[in-house]
Amino acid sequence: MEHPLTKCTRMFFLLGMVMIELQSYGSLGCWEDERAGLMKLKDAFDGPTGSSALSSWGGGEERDCCKWESVVCDNATKRVSQLSLSYPSDFRNRWSLDTSLFLPFQELQILSLGYDTLAELTNLTNLEMLHLGDNGLMEIPSSIWDLTSLKALSLSGNGLNGLLPLRGLCKLVNLQELDLSDNSFEGKLPAGLMNFTSLRLLELSKNKFEGAIPSNLFPVLKSLEYISLSHNLFEGTFSFGSLANNSKLEVFELVCDNNGLKVDTENPPWTPLFQLKVFRLSNCKLNDKSRVLPSFLLNQFELREIDLSHNSISGMIPMWLVANNTRLEFLNLANNSLTDPLTLDLNSTHLDMFLFDISSNHIQGELPSPISSAFPNLMTSNLSSNLFQGSIPPSLGELRVLDTLDLSNNNFSGQLPEHLVTGCAYLIYLKLSNNCLQGQPLPSKSNVTYLSSLFLDSNSFSGEIPRGILNSSGLRTLDLSDNWFSGKVPDWIGDLPLDSLTLSKNALEGPIPSGFCKSNGLRLLDLSENNLSGVVPSCLNNVSYLRFLHLQRNEFRGPLPNLTSLISDSPLVTFDIPGWINSFSNLRVLLLGGNSFEGPIPLQLCDLRKISIIDLSRNELSGQIPSCLHDIYALEDPFRTQMSASVSAWFGPPDSYSYENQLDVDYSRDLRMSETNFKEEVEFITKSRSETYKGNILNFMSGIDLSCNKLTGPVPDEIGYLSDIHALNLSHNHLTGPIPESFSNLRQIESLDLSHNSLSGEIPLQLVELNYLSVFTVAYNNLSGRTPERKAQFATFDEHSYEGNSLLCGVPLGRRCTTTEEMSPPPQPSYAIQDDTFKVAFLSTFWPTYAVAFVAIIVILYYCPYHEYLISM
Ligand SMILES: *[C@@H]1O[C@H](CO)[C@@H](O)[C@H](O)[C@H]1NC(C)=O
Ligand SMILES: *[C@@H]1O[C@H](CO)[C@@H](O)[C@H](O)[C@H]1NC(C)=O
Ligand SMILES: *[C@@H]1O[C@H](CO)[C@@H](O)[C@H](O)[C@H]1NC(C)=O
Ligand SMILES: *[C@@H]1O[C@H](CO)[C@@H](O)[C@H](O)[C@H]1NC(C)=O
Ligand SMILES: *[C@@H]1O[C@H](CO)[C@@H](O)[C@H](O)[C@H]1NC(C)=O
Ligand SMILES: *[C@@H]1O[C@H](CO)[C@@H](O)[C@H](O)[C@H]1NC(C)=O
Ligand SMILES: *[C@@H]1O[C@H](CO)[C@@H](O)[C@H](O)[C@H]1NC(C)=O
Ligand SMILES: *[C@@H]1O[C@H](CO)[C@@H](O)[C@H](O)[C@H]1NC(C)=O
Ligand SMILES: *[C@@H]1O[C@H](CO)[C@@H](O)[C@H](O)[C@H]1NC(C)=O
Ligand SMILES: *[C@@H]1O[C@H](CO)[C@@H](O)[C@H](O)[C@H]1NC(C)=O
């Protein structure tokens, strides 16, 4: 029986011919009813939000609706055949669209709808392609299953879950393209999928499919051109050879999340009938015994994109992949165990190559200079974390369109070639950290005007901070730490729109320049471990976005002015930590230790409600510990606080490249470089090593270090209410009075150091309830009475925790409490041994991440006594 609509269509078709004839003198290209229909659609789409997504429709002179944006008509009938009504992604208000609006479009074949719900789609019987991506659908409208002419269906990016709706899908017997990515479908891949023998595209990535990938599935689906199974929960072993006879296959993607799926590409031996264009097999257990590169690649000559990152592949770096696949655009071999040689055929050029990532391998030797003639259009090059040595070839400056270059963590030496920073004029991101480079990095001729992130840290660069940096007027992240830069901090540094400035561990001297004050978007400022002196400029009052401030281990002196007025090198009579710090209301980490700040701890410190690490140790602070300190933690639990600064440098992807299928699945979308978040680093130094803690680990840290000052008076009871604190060091002051009983509330505390004060009275017995305590010392005070019971954590503390209190008795001290005899002189404190033993002891009892955070704190706590120990020697 003939479908009534078909008859109707034919009638319209005939009618259409007549009308076209009639209208042939006018300029009307499209059908009046369809134009009216489009105008109604436009109104509907302007919708409740008033966003005029299709504002151009009907607006101008153009009456022919076939020429309107997003409308495609059939050439012969002039009827609308394709509509794509996608919204910009910020449009998320849900409202429902009256599907009868589509009824005027009798011949609509392709309908692509962006963000919104489409309730019923019945009667669109000619529809061949339906794109319902990102519509917030929680279930599939059952009317879809009646659209039996559908050849392509996309339901990606919705909230769909449960098992695959096979029963409905099976009605779509003509289906060639199925995109269900980015939902929450679950269960095993059903055998029923074998019925879709005309399927060309199967996109199932980012779901929760589990179980093995059936090896009898693909031999049946002979038409497949595109398979993506990435980011699911598959397990078992997938035999890649089961794809051998899929002669049309062009794209294969399987990015695992290292959940336990093994992929075997070698056994049993097979020969592919396909020539892939895109091959991504990343972070699965690839050939986990032999660790060989998939050998079928020897027969592939049309590859454009290869991603074999995170696979533990060993052997020599397969540069023949580049030679064999002359149109290669993208090669990512990061995080394997590949070795050299990195040889490049001098004669071959690969014009299409834009990304070359061989980072985190074991490649040594010099970087071959022909890399720039072989890949003249390279945009992203990541050679970091290898064993490269020798100089950076000046020919890299020939890479005219390079925007991202990462050579960090190698052994490159010599100078940074001038040609690199004059030739690569489009560099956005340059990272040379942790090499052995020397000299002046950016000459005044430097022409990297688009540079946004520059990392030169941990090299041997020297001289003044190079003025050439100023040519990169859009610089947001600058890290020059751990070099030999000397001289003054230049005044012009404030002209750069910096988010993050790290100048620590150099030999910079003099005051912070007044020009610095022009920079007002700083989130991280690290000037620590230089010889900077003078006052900290008052303009820091306005740095309201600051999250991390490190000024420790300099020679800064007070008063640090509250006003914009006085900036002076002249010796000052009064020294104060100024009130200005309370304007840093977002401050999370305040490291001011090892300067010469004097005067009392200002009460404004207590206004820094978000702070979780305070280091004011090794200054000349006097007066009492302010009891308001407990306010800091009252509002915010550092465990719940996201500490990582959100300053991020995102490198835009190179123009991504679309697989030519009708759904226009962008097959390189996940290959884009992931957002690299700028992560805060906190470094603590021990006698012989420095350790760095980055990013999230800071979430687990909270501590106050006021050690090595001249603080007097009692320890305020209120400190005992800092219930989230993990480390507290008040040692090496002149504190008097008892240890507050309230300290038994410090439930999270792991390290408590009250040594080298003049505390008296008894040790509160309730302290034994502190179950996380692993470092505890009250040595060298005037405490009396009994040592706490040796149970729980207290069973682990030896006499070093108590020594130097002549009136204290009980185990582990040698003095029994009933007698008054003198004990033998205490052994010398040996912190050098202690900090290692504590570390070991701690590591063995707690889970690792936590342990590292903890060790960091221990390290600060022990720095100070060591420091003094040094001085006393
Ligand atoms: C319709 O016409 C345009 C231009 O005249 C042409 O590019 C296009 O291929 C035609 N489409 C069909 C389906 O014939
Ligand atoms: C869809 O078509 C059926 C007949 O096939 C008809 O009864 C129904 O009214 C149509 N729906 C709309 C909304 O026009
Ligand atoms: C697949 O096709 C077979 C035979 O054509 C049929 O028996 C089976 O029910 C189909 N599977 C599904 C899930 O529809
Ligand atoms: C591919 O086809 C060959 C020849 O027909 C056959 O021997 C082989 O088993 C097939 N391989 C797969 C994986 O289906
Ligand atoms: C490197 O690859 C291994 C798997 O081979 C993975 O477990 C690890 O997380 C990867 N490392 C990085 C930094 O991605
Ligand atoms: C591809 O590379 C392999 C390994 O070097 C080589 O044996 C083969 O001849 C190359 N094929 C072509 C067409 O260059
Ligand atoms: C480069 O090409 C020239 C001439 O075409 C040839 O003589 C030379 O051997 C080639 N060099 C390499 C390294 O292939
Ligand atoms: C380069 O690779 C390393 C390790 O694979 C990675 O951590 C780093 O973020 C990459 N660099 C860039 C600029 O993406
Ligand atoms: C700097 O780069 C620009 C392109 O961004 C170029 O036009 C200009 O000639 C370069 N200047 C020098 C001195 O190299
Ligand atoms: C800063 O100085 C101004 C003017 O001298 C004064 O009014 C203000 O109270 C000061 N602020 C702080 C926090 O000391």
Side-chain angles (χ1 to χ4, degrees):
M1 208 186 90
E2 200 174 28
H3 195 280
L5 258 190
T6 321
K7 205 187 274 171
C8 184
T9 312
R10 271 199 210 141
M11 275 166 54
F12 273 115
F13 180 76
L14 289 175
L15 190 61
M17 300 308 279
V18 176
M19 286 188 56
I20 287 166
E21 286 302 307
L22 288 176
Q23 291 171 351
S24 58
Y25 289 110
S27 61
L28 278 186
C30 73
W31 289 65
E32 190 56 42
D33 59 334
E34 296 203 338
R35 194 157 51 92
L38 287 174
M39 293 306 285
K40 275 192 189 161
L41 257 181
K42 175 187 170 180
D43 290 344
F45 265 62
D46 279 355
T49 61
S51 80
S52 50
L54 303 169
S55 55
S56 67
W57 285 7
E61 297 290 285
E62 188 59 78
R63 300 271 304 161
D64 181 357
C65 65
C66 291
K67 294 187 177 147
W68 291 355
E69 202 185 322
S70 311
V71 180
V72 176
C73 295
D74 185 275
N75 281 354
T77 65
K78 291 285 176 189
R79 282 206 164 269
V80 173
S81 65
Q82 294 186 28
L83 276 176
S84 52
L85 306 175
S86 303
Y87 273 97
S89 57
D90 57 342
F91 182 88
R92 290 197 178 267
N93 288 347
R94 288 172 58 83
W95 53 283
S96 57
L97 192 63
D98 175 5
T99 48
S100 67
L101 286 168
F102 292 100
L103 289 177
F105 312 110
Q106 305 288 341
E107 295 185 18
L108 194 62
Q109 291 182 329
I110 298 180
L111 176 61
S112 165
L113 292 170
Y115 282 90
D116 228 291
T117 303
L118 196 69
E120 295 300 319
L121 293 156
T122 25
N123 296 8
L124 296 175
T125 47
N126 287 332
L127 205 61
E128 292 187 351
M129 185 180 304
L130 180 63
H131 192 290
L132 290 175
D134 303 317
N135 273 285
L137 295 180
M138 296 309 287
E139 55 189 287
I140 303 176
S142 59
S143 50
I144 286 185
W145 311 131
D146 298 326
L147 303 174
T148 49
S149 52
L150 274 188
K151 289 186 180 154
L153 172 65
S154 170
L155 296 170
S156 73
N158 284 295
L160 302 171
N161 53 30
L163 301 176
L164 268 190
L166 258 196
R167 180 181 292 198
L169 277 173
C170 282
K171 291 195 199 168
L172 307 179
V173 289
N174 296 313
L175 210 58
Q176 296 179 9
E177 302 184 7
L178 178 61
D179 181 357
L180 301 177
S181 60
D182 210 356
N183 283 294
S184 299
F185 286 115
E186 57 196 40
K188 297 186 170 183
L189 287 188
L193 278 176
M194 290 196 225
N195 287 7
F196 294 96
T197 47
S198 10
L199 213 55
R200 297 192 302 121
L201 175 141
L202 181 62
E203 167 60 277
L204 300 179
S205 63
K206 296 192 190 156
N207 279 289
K208 294 175 178 164
F209 291 115
E210 60 194 23
I213 300 174
S215 58
N216 56 353
L217 175 62
F218 298 120
V220 183
L221 304 181
K222 287 208 163 49
S223 312
L224 276 175
E225 296 168 28
Y226 178 117
I227 301 173
S228 176
L229 304 172
S230 299
H231 302 298
N232 278 291
L233 305 171
F234 294 122
E235 296 163 336
T237 300
F238 174 55
S239 172
F240 196 79
S242 71
L243 291 161
N245 294 341
N246 290 70
S247 59
K248 295 181 179 160
L249 194 64
E250 293 184 0
V251 176
F252 181 84
E253 297 189 348
L254 177 56
V255 177
C256 304
D257 302 320
N258 220 338
N259 288 323
L261 178 66
K262 297 179 182 178
V263 178
D264 183 355
T265 60
E266 304 305 304
N267 296 303
W270 58 288
T271 342
L273 295 183
F274 51 74
Q275 285 293 332
L276 289 180
K277 287 188 175 147
V278 173
F279 180 51
R280 301 183 63 199
L281 185 55
S282 171
N283 208 8
C284 307
K285 295 193 166 72
L286 172 63
N287 298 329
D288 66 332
K289 298 232 168 60
S290 61
R291 300 193 163 182
V292 293
L293 188 80
S295 52
F296 81 89
L297 288 170
L298 283 169
N299 299 312
Q300 299 294 302
F301 310 111
E302 286 170 22
L303 281 162
R304 313 260 181 97
E305 303 194 0
I306 302 174
D307 180 357
L308 287 168
S309 56
H310 311 300
N311 277 325
S312 311
I313 303 171
S314 58
M316 289 198 292
I317 184 162
M319 291 308 287
W320 51 263
L321 280 172
V322 180
N324 275 1
N325 296 282
T326 52
R327 296 186 62 190
L328 199 61
E329 298 173 7
F330 183 111
L331 180 62
N332 185 354
L333 300 172
N335 190 16
N336 283 291
S337 302
L338 299 167
T339 58
D340 32 290
L342 183 63
T343 48
L344 287 156
D345 183 352
L346 279 171
N347 284 358
S348 67
T349 48
H350 300 268
L351 293 174
D352 298 317
M353 190 76 133
F354 69 76
L355 184 144
F356 184 65
D357 187 343
I358 55 171
S359 62
S360 297
N361 279 288
H362 308 310
I363 300 164
Q364 37 184 312
E366 302 211 346
L367 181 60
S369 167
I371 195 165
S372 33
S373 49
F375 308 141
N377 295 324
L378 207 56
M379 296 173 80
T380 298
S381 181
N382 192 343
L383 309 179
S384 68
S385 302
N386 278 292
L387 302 163
F388 284 112
Q389 61 197 49
S391 53
I392 297 175
S395 65
L396 286 187
E398 302 298 324
L399 297 171
R400 302 266 170 223
V401 293
L402 194 68
D403 63 28
T404 302
L405 178 63
D406 189 344
L407 301 179
S408 61
N409 302 316
N410 280 291
N411 291 321
F412 285 113
S413 55
Q415 306 228 352
L416 180 64
E418 189 176 294
H419 192 32
L420 183 73
V421 290
T422 54
C424 302
Y426 294 102
L427 265 183
I428 294 172
Y429 183 102
L430 178 60
K431 184 163 182 173
L432 303 173
S433 316
N434 212 358
N435 280 289
C436 310
L437 298 166
Q438 46 177 278
Q440 271 276 301
L442 266 71
S444 52
K445 282 199 275 183
S446 116
N447 195 17
V448 278
T449 48
Y450 300 103
L451 201 63
S452 166
S453 302
L454 178 61
F455 300 89
L456 301 176
D457 50 297
S458 301
N459 279 288
S460 302
F461 289 118
S462 57
E464 303 225 313
I465 292 179
R467 205 182 161 79
I469 289 177
L470 196 53
N471 297 348
S472 306
S473 55
L475 203 61
R476 305 191 77 93
T477 302
L478 177 61
D479 189 344
L480 302 180
S481 61
D482 201 5
N483 279 290
W484 297 102
F485 288 113
S486 55
K488 296 190 172 177
V489 177
D491 200 52
W492 48 257
I493 206 128
D495 295 336
L496 297 168
L498 292 171
D499 288 330
S500 159
L501 176 61
T502 310
L503 301 177
S504 58
K505 295 196 206 165
N506 281 290
L508 299 168
E509 57 192 21
I512 301 178
S514 57
F516 191 83
C517 293
K518 283 180 269 174
S519 181
N520 57 10
L522 271 183
R523 302 202 179 195
L524 179 147
L525 175 61
D526 187 350
L527 302 176
S528 62
E529 298 185 54
N530 281 288
N531 300 320
L532 298 169
S533 57
V535 293
V536 176
S538 62
C539 64
L540 283 176
N541 271 327
N542 302 323
V543 188
S544 54
Y545 294 110
L546 204 66
R547 282 159 174 260
F548 305 101
L549 177 64
H550 307 216
L551 302 176
Q552 79 271 27
R553 305 187 81 201
N554 279 290
E555 298 299 327
F556 290 122
R557 300 192 82 84
L560 303 175
N562 162 27
L563 296 174
T564 45
S565 54
L566 182 71
I567 293 176
S568 155
D569 285 326
S570 59
L572 292 153
V573 186
T574 49
F575 299 119
D576 262 326
I577 290 187
W580 54 260
I581 43 179
N582 71 352
S583 26
F584 296 115
S585 53
N586 287 316
L587 204 66
R588 303 292 172 86
V589 176
L590 175 67
L591 303 177
L592 299 175
N595 282 288
S596 303
F597 294 128
E598 295 192 12
I601 297 175
L603 298 183
Q604 289 92 340
L605 188 67
C606 306
D607 294 335
L608 301 174
R609 308 253 159 164
K610 294 184 179 173
I611 203 146
S612 67
I613 297 179
I614 301 173
D615 177 6
L616 299 178
S617 67
R618 290 161 286 131
N619 280 291
E620 309 282 317
L621 299 170
S622 55
Q624 302 199 3
I625 298 176
S627 58
C628 66
L629 268 182
H630 90 276
D631 292 344
I632 296 175
Y633 289 84
L635 288 182
E636 218 163 341
D637 172 0
F639 275 94
R640 287 194 294 269
T641 307
Q642 183 49 261
M643 292 265 309
S644 59
S646 61
V647 185
S648 63
W650 190 80
F651 332 101
D655 285 343
S656 58
Y657 154 94
S658 282
Y659 173 66
E660 290 153 9
N661 69 78
Q662 297 179 60
L663 282 179
D664 200 28
V665 176
D666 172 1
Y667 74 64
S668 59
R669 65 190 152 181
D670 293 328
L671 297 178
R672 288 168 192 168
M673 296 181 73
S674 60
E675 186 174 304
T676 43
N677 275 310
F678 157 75
K679 297 276 189 198
E680 160 63 354
E681 240 176 74
V682 175
E683 189 163 39
F684 300 104
I685 310 253
T686 58
K687 59 196 184 313
S688 58
R689 60 172 181 257
S690 68
E691 300 193 44
T692 304
Y693 305 95
K694 296 188 193 184
N696 286 341
I697 201 137
L698 293 174
N699 291 340
F700 297 103
M701 297 176 63
S702 60
I704 297 183
D705 187 352
L706 304 177
S707 64
C708 305
N709 279 291
K710 296 175 176 164
L711 299 170
T712 53
V715 179
D717 279 354
E718 287 85 350
I719 300 272
Y721 296 104
L722 295 172
S723 55
D724 286 319
I725 201 170
H726 289 70
L728 178 64
N729 189 347
L730 304 178
S731 69
H732 295 264
N733 280 293
H734 308 302
L735 300 171
T736 51
I739 299 174
E741 287 187 8
S742 62
F743 273 28
S744 61
N745 296 315
L746 301 173
R747 299 271 167 219
Q748 303 291 336
I749 201 156
E750 295 156 11
S751 168
L752 177 61
D753 188 348
L754 302 174
S755 65
H756 296 270
N757 279 293
S758 305
L759 298 173
S760 55
E762 299 190 357
I763 301 175
L765 299 177
Q766 300 92 318
L767 291 189
V768 294
E769 290 159 24
L770 300 177
N771 286 330
Y772 294 114
L773 203 58
S774 32
V775 175
F776 172 76
T777 170
V778 291
Y780 299 96
N781 279 290
N782 296 327
L783 295 166
S784 54
R786 281 179 183 274
T787 56
E789 209 180 334
R790 279 182 71 77
K791 68 175 200 191
Q793 287 304 103
F794 275 77
T796 63
F797 304 135
D798 63 13
E799 73 269 20
H800 297 303
S801 297
Y802 303 106
E803 67 200 8
N805 289 287
S806 53
L807 299 175
L808 210 53
C809 61
V811 277
L813 291 175
R815 191 169 36 239
R816 294 223 308 274
C817 286
T818 48
T819 71
T820 51
E821 71 193 55
E822 280 296 307
M823 61 177 280
S824 53
Q828 276 296 321
S830 57
Y831 295 103
I833 295 166
Q834 276 189 14
D835 71 9
D836 282 294
T837 40
F838 278 125
K839 180 170 178 172
V840 172
F842 188 76
L843 284 174
S844 60
T845 48
F846 286 79
W847 51 285
T849 340
Y850 202 75
V852 180
F854 177 75
V855 168
I857 295 170
I858 301 307
V859 167
I860 340 181
L861 293 167
Y862 275 87
Y863 173 79
C864 152
Y866 177 72
H867 177 84
E868 292 223 325
Y869 184 65
L870 267 191
I871 289 172
S872 68
M873 289 178 5

